[in-house]
Amino acid sequence: MRAANIIKGFDSSKHAGVIAFFNKEYLKENIIDRKMSPIIKNSSFFREKSDYDDFFIASKKDAENQLKNAKIFLSVVEDYLKTENHNLLANPQISRH
């Protein structure tokens, strides 16, 4: 997600900032499939719970689902980055910001 955001000249030290920018620039604009939205929401939920809830324990099923969804999300973003890199290499005079 951060790698995609950097293509548009954005970075943030906060998870919420990274996610908000990605949602606005990529999902809302249909650059990345909106079906990724639940994956992002769920991964953010589990990250917050595991970081801040002292008694939170993810189930094995939850962990397996998170891993499966992370692989899906990574594949989608990697495909976008490969396409974007190809476009930048083919047209280096085009600014992406």
Side-chain angles (χ1 to χ4, degrees):
M1 192 178 298
R2 287 182 80 184
N5 287 352
I6 287 171
I7 286 176
K8 292 190 176 251
F10 178 84
D11 194 16
S12 175
S13 62
K14 303 284 185 189
H15 288 99
V18 171
I19 292 168
F21 185 86
F22 186 87
N23 285 338
K24 179 180 165 240
E25 294 293 322
Y26 291 97
L27 299 184
K28 233 178 167 182
E29 298 297 323
N30 285 319
I31 294 170
I32 302 254
D33 192 339
R34 290 182 184 190
K35 291 178 185 175
M36 296 298 105
S37 183
I39 290 174
I40 295 167
K41 286 178 186 175
N42 286 334
S43 67
S44 180
F45 170 80
F46 279 104
R47 187 204 65 82
E48 283 189 30
K49 292 296 273 181
S50 65
D51 281 358
Y52 301 113
D53 185 342
D54 292 336
F55 300 103
F56 177 75
I57 299 173
S59 70
K60 181 178 179 181
K61 182 178 179 182
D62 287 336
E64 289 170 345
N65 283 335
Q66 286 299 302
L67 181 58
K68 177 187 74 148
N69 288 335
K71 288 177 181 179
I72 292 167
F73 183 81
L74 180 61
S75 176
V76 168
V77 173
E78 281 179 336
D79 288 346
Y80 166 75
L81 293 172
K82 287 175 188 172
T83 300
E84 188 64 16
N85 185 50
H86 175 72
N87 290 340
L88 288 172
L89 291 174
N91 301 302
Q93 71 278 8
I94 297 174
S95 173
R96 298 290 179 194
H97 302 289

